[in-house]
Amino acid sequence: MTDSATDLAVPETATDAAGAADVTDAAVDPELRGRALDGILLLLPRVLKRELPEIGENACLFDEVGLTSAATLELILELEDHLDVQIDVEGIDQDDLRSVGTLAGFVAGHVIAED
């Protein structure tokens, strides 16, 4: 039996041992993804209003970190300010919020270009 969360259009070679997508897509700027990852790790304690144990990029945002729907919105808004970008959240789904790393990859791939 397979886990339906890992069956969603994620090629086998793009998943790690925990089933999280390894976001190395050509459309994702690796430098921006790194900055987004650092920003998420920096901002999570402020958004959640509590200290967090050291978490890595594979940490599950909801189950391990304790993120809520409201806190997710606040995190994305804080991240936009921190990175000085605007993020297109129209296409965000539960898979994008699976872990710290998948959210960083989503952010790096969905920055709205300035005209």
Side-chain angles (χ1 to χ4, degrees):
M1 179 176 233
T2 61
D3 181 355
S4 62
T6 59
D7 291 341
L8 300 174
V10 178
E12 287 231 8
T13 58
T15 58
D16 66 15
D22 177 20
V23 185
T24 55
D25 188 275
V28 174
D29 175 358
E31 189 269 334
L32 180 56
R33 184 182 183 280
R35 288 183 30 229
L37 184 63
D38 291 344
I40 292 166
L41 295 172
L42 175 75
L43 295 169
L44 273 170
R46 179 173 26 179
V47 168
L48 294 173
K49 297 173 179 54
R50 63 182 168 85
E51 289 298 314
L52 295 174
E54 187 171 324
I55 57 174
E57 113 173 53
N58 291 324
C60 180
L61 287 170
F62 292 94
D63 295 338
E64 293 177 50
V65 179
L67 201 66
T68 63
S69 297
T72 300
L73 178 59
E74 184 177 346
L75 176 62
I76 290 172
L77 292 172
E78 291 275 344
L79 199 52
E80 285 181 326
D81 286 343
H82 178 76
L83 297 173
D84 195 28
V85 297
Q86 186 175 359
I87 302 165
D88 180 8
V89 294
E90 289 294 317
I92 198 167
D93 63 24
Q94 187 174 356
D95 225 25
D96 299 316
L97 299 170
R98 186 176 354 153
S99 70
V100 174
T102 58
L103 179 56
F106 175 84
V107 168
H110 291 83
V111 169
I112 298 172
E114 294 181 16
D115 292 332

